[in-house]
Amino acid sequence: MKILLATLSIEPESRNENNRNAAYSLGLGYLHTVLEAAGHNVKTLFLNNVDYSASDAAFFSAVKEMRPQAVGFQVFSMNRVATFAVIQKLHDADPEIRIIIGGVHTSMMYEQILKRFPYAVAVIGEGEHTLTELVAALAGGRTLENVNGLAYFQQGQVKLTPERELIADLDGLPEPRHEIFFDSEPARSVGHIISSRGCPFDCTFCCLKVISKRRFRARSPERVAAEIKGLKNRYPRLKEIQFHDDTLLLDNARVIALCKLLVNEGLKLNFVCSARVKPVSEDMFYWMQKAGFTKVMFGLETGSEKLLQSIHKGITKADVLNLFKTLKPYGFNVTTFLMCGFPGETAETVRETIELVRATQRIKYNLVSGVGKLWVYPGTDVYRVMKAAGKISDDFWMTEQPVPYFTVEHDVATLTRFENEMLENLSFLNIFTFRGFYRHFLRMPLGITRFFIKPSNGKILLSVLAAAAQRNFPVIYAKLYAAYKNAVSGRSDALPGGSDNTP
């Protein structure tokens, strides 16, 4: 069977345009591999970071060229607008093409989507086994009720087949088809990988727990190391691997075992990951540094003890301070992720966040490049609060509006004020503004200076200078940056937009 898989353009604010090293869809990479292994002819399109018109044009060009019998769309909240428009247009043009939808947003909102597009079939949850069985049923002309993990429209109503169990043995899956993303981007030097799935925690703003059921499942260190080694062998230009696990560091012993394997391989790669504040250990950080980890990004979200409890983060201020004391001897850069606008957020909780992050920066300087206003996704606790307050309904997700912020207690202008307050006090990108210089740099001039004079941080310093130029001389900056992009088109290390320059 000829199958086209696609993930389409996301909302403009969140696109990573002009970045050839941007994260790619490992989910589609895995689906591509399992469908090929089942004997199907598969093509995959990764179009998240192009605008709507370019995404539309590339998709229909591929349809014309391939003439697929089935098309599978990865749907998440930020690409639903482009995806829904293309689904309708595709069906109008060729009703014989079977349309399959999956992804996080589909798993949350399959009923309303199928009522809009009753000719589609929805894959609920993890898709590798479900999609393989679904395609086999379609190719064989069989009915769908015996395929677990599906939703579809029949006889005027949405039908749901029995739930698909989570994949227990991740080592039993083949590696994702990285070639899709490397061969289409000859300048790509950053690879992306998932070594585990799931998170056992219960954060009120996270929708992934609906998919993973708060169950952590891990691949063996040997399989992960082999995938990384294979990538490096196939693509000698590879310089960096970014891990996209929900909770990579959850099992410290497993991380240490993986790092020891990477040390033995001597691949000369840099590694980047995101992580929770705990559990951590000196032994784990020692082996991570030895293996080549150069950046770890921690999700703190807020420095308010009250909010940390109410959002079910599962950490305390003491845990945060302990983390940075443990991190202090190690050389990798640390980024701290912050958000504002949680239920209960006030000027005082914003001040608490500033004070806690300042305390961590004095222990070991860590980078705050942005502060996210709280987005609201279906399936989350904060979405239910928004619905109960009459601020949103399920009908919202069939509109063309962008993913909304949590505005039950504060309007967007107030959230922006909270955001700016944090940035002026904590962000390295603001040190060349009057308020940033006074509130951030002068609070810890030696620590910030020591950080930026490290030779390995030269590109980060360049991003600070670029941010200052953009803020103070926007017209000149725009012209220079446009000229620069044209001059280095195709390079992976382009100035402020390249991932190598992202702290």
Side-chain angles (χ1 to χ4, degrees):
M1 196 169 188
K2 292 194 292 184
I3 305 166
L4 178 62
L5 302 176
T7 181
L8 304 182
S9 178
I10 63 176
E11 296 169 2
E13 181 183 348
S14 299
R15 283 186 207 134
N16 206 344
E17 296 181 15
N18 305 307
N19 180 0
R20 296 182 183 275
N21 282 320
Y24 45 78
S25 176
L26 287 162
L28 291 189
Y30 275 105
L31 295 177
H32 188 118
T33 304
V34 296
L35 288 173
E36 275 192 334
H40 301 288
N41 177 9
V42 188
K43 181 179 178 64
T44 295
L45 297 176
F46 174 63
L47 300 169
N48 286 168
N49 294 317
V50 299
D51 64 31
Y52 291 139
S53 61
S55 172
D56 191 272
F59 174 81
F60 283 103
S61 175
V63 169
K64 182 178 180 181
E65 177 184 344
M66 186 185 194
R67 301 183 64 81
Q69 295 160 284
V71 176
F73 293 97
Q74 181 186 47
V75 188
F76 45 98
S77 300
M78 283 195 173
N79 81 342
R80 73 187 199 286
V81 174
T83 305
F84 293 164
V86 163
I87 287 174
Q88 187 63 60
K89 188 174 178 180
L90 175 64
H91 182 71
D92 290 344
D94 190 345
E96 297 301 313
I97 295 176
R98 296 306 305 259
I99 293 176
I100 304 165
I101 55 175
V104 178
H105 190 85
T106 296
S107 294
M108 309 293 176
M109 307 301 293
Y110 61 87
E111 188 165 0
Q112 68 166 197
I113 300 173
L114 292 173
K115 287 179 179 177
R116 172 73 68 86
F117 308 112
Y119 41 81
V121 180
V123 173
I124 311 300
E126 291 181 328
E128 287 89 351
H129 296 337
T130 304
L131 183 59
T132 303
E133 293 178 20
L134 168 61
V135 170
L138 294 176
R142 300 192 299 273
T143 58
L144 304 182
E145 63 260 18
N146 293 323
V147 179
N148 290 352
L150 293 182
Y152 54 94
F153 203 80
Q154 187 178 76
Q155 296 177 341
Q157 62 182 345
V158 174
K159 294 203 169 185
L160 197 63
T161 65
E163 183 178 16
R164 171 75 60 175
E165 291 294 318
L166 292 173
I167 299 170
D169 179 18
L170 297 183
D171 282 346
L173 293 174
E175 293 177 4
R177 282 275 276 161
H178 293 280
E179 294 87 345
I180 302 164
F181 313 104
F182 273 83
D183 294 348
S184 63
E185 295 285 5
R188 175 177 286 281
S189 62
V190 176
H192 301 269
I193 194 170
I194 294 177
S195 77
S196 64
R197 296 183 183 182
C199 173
F201 299 96
D202 191 28
C203 297
T204 60
F205 53 89
C206 180
C207 59
L208 298 180
K209 59 190 176 185
V210 177
I211 302 293
S212 65
K213 301 179 177 64
R214 298 175 61 190
R215 283 179 50 195
F216 175 76
R217 295 154 294 142
R219 300 168 62 197
S220 67
E222 292 77 13
R223 285 295 303 271
V224 178
E227 181 177 350
I228 294 170
K229 182 180 179 180
L231 261 177
K232 180 63 175 177
N233 288 340
R234 291 196 300 276
Y235 301 100
R237 68 181 188 265
L238 188 67
K239 296 178 181 178
E240 179 178 292
I241 294 288
Q242 295 183 4
F243 286 85
H244 293 273
D245 300 42
D246 297 328
T247 47
L248 175 66
L249 306 189
L250 184 67
D251 183 345
N252 285 192
R254 173 179 169 273
V255 174
I256 292 169
L258 173 60
C259 288
K260 289 180 177 179
L261 291 172
L262 295 175
V263 169
N264 290 337
E265 293 292 351
L267 299 175
K268 296 182 180 179
L269 288 170
N270 293 332
F271 297 98
V272 174
C273 71
S274 58
R276 284 182 53 85
V277 166
K278 68 175 187 181
V280 296
S281 68
E282 292 183 11
D283 196 26
M284 181 182 68
F285 288 144
Y286 167 81
W287 282 104
M288 288 175 68
Q289 180 168 284
K290 197 171 179 66
F293 277 83
T294 57
K295 181 169 66 175
V296 184
M297 302 172 285
F298 289 95
L300 171 56
E301 324 310 353
T302 177
S304 163
E305 200 81 74
K306 178 186 74 173
L307 294 186
L308 286 171
Q309 292 178 10
S310 68
I311 67 174
H312 305 162
K313 190 66 182 171
I315 60 173
T316 65
K317 288 184 177 182
D319 294 327
V320 176
L321 294 172
N322 177 67
L323 166 68
F324 282 90
K325 290 172 184 175
T326 307
L327 280 167
K328 187 174 182 178
Y330 301 99
F332 34 71
N333 288 338
V334 176
T335 293
T336 298
F337 291 142
L338 299 173
M339 301 170 69
C340 68
F342 293 110
E345 188 85 87
T346 63
E348 179 57 31
T349 60
V350 169
R351 176 54 47 185
E352 290 180 67
T353 298
I354 292 169
E355 289 174 356
L356 180 60
V357 177
R358 273 184 182 155
T360 67
Q361 289 176 325
R362 290 191 178 100
I363 298 169
K364 179 180 176 64
Y365 188 72
N366 55 94
L367 300 169
V368 175
S369 59
V371 175
K373 294 186 282 290
L374 177 59
W375 270 315
V376 176
Y377 292 100
T380 63
D381 294 348
V382 291
Y383 178 58
R384 287 186 280 274
V385 173
M386 280 271 282
K387 286 179 67 175
K391 290 282 189 176
I392 197 170
S393 71
D394 288 347
D395 292 340
F396 175 89
W397 301 106
M398 299 310 294
T399 73
E400 296 185 359
Q401 295 298 309
V403 173
Y405 297 121
F406 184 79
T407 54
V408 172
E409 299 172 3
H410 304 290
D411 59 20
V412 174
T414 302
L415 297 178
T416 301
R417 189 167 69 250
F418 289 161
E419 176 187 14
N420 290 337
E421 180 76 8
M422 291 188 192
L423 291 173
E424 289 167 358
N425 282 276
L426 301 172
S427 178
F428 69 103
L429 291 173
N430 284 48
I431 60 176
F432 288 119
T433 66
F434 176 78
R435 289 185 177 181
F437 183 79
Y438 176 74
R439 295 181 175 184
H440 184 51
F441 182 79
L442 290 183
R443 295 265 184 168
M444 52 193 82
L446 292 180
I448 294 174
T449 301
R450 280 196 297 266
F451 178 86
F452 281 110
I453 62 175
K454 288 172 59 177
S456 59
N457 291 336
K459 288 184 177 179
I460 299 176
L461 178 58
L462 193 61
S463 70
V464 176
L465 297 173
Q470 185 177 21
R471 183 179 292 108
N472 296 314
F473 309 102
V475 176
I476 296 174
Y477 175 87
K479 291 180 179 179
L480 290 175
Y481 185 44
Y484 179 83
K485 285 196 298 183
N486 290 334
V488 298
S489 178
R491 281 177 49 187
S492 65
D493 58 348
L495 190 66
S499 76
D500 289 342
N501 302 313
T502 304

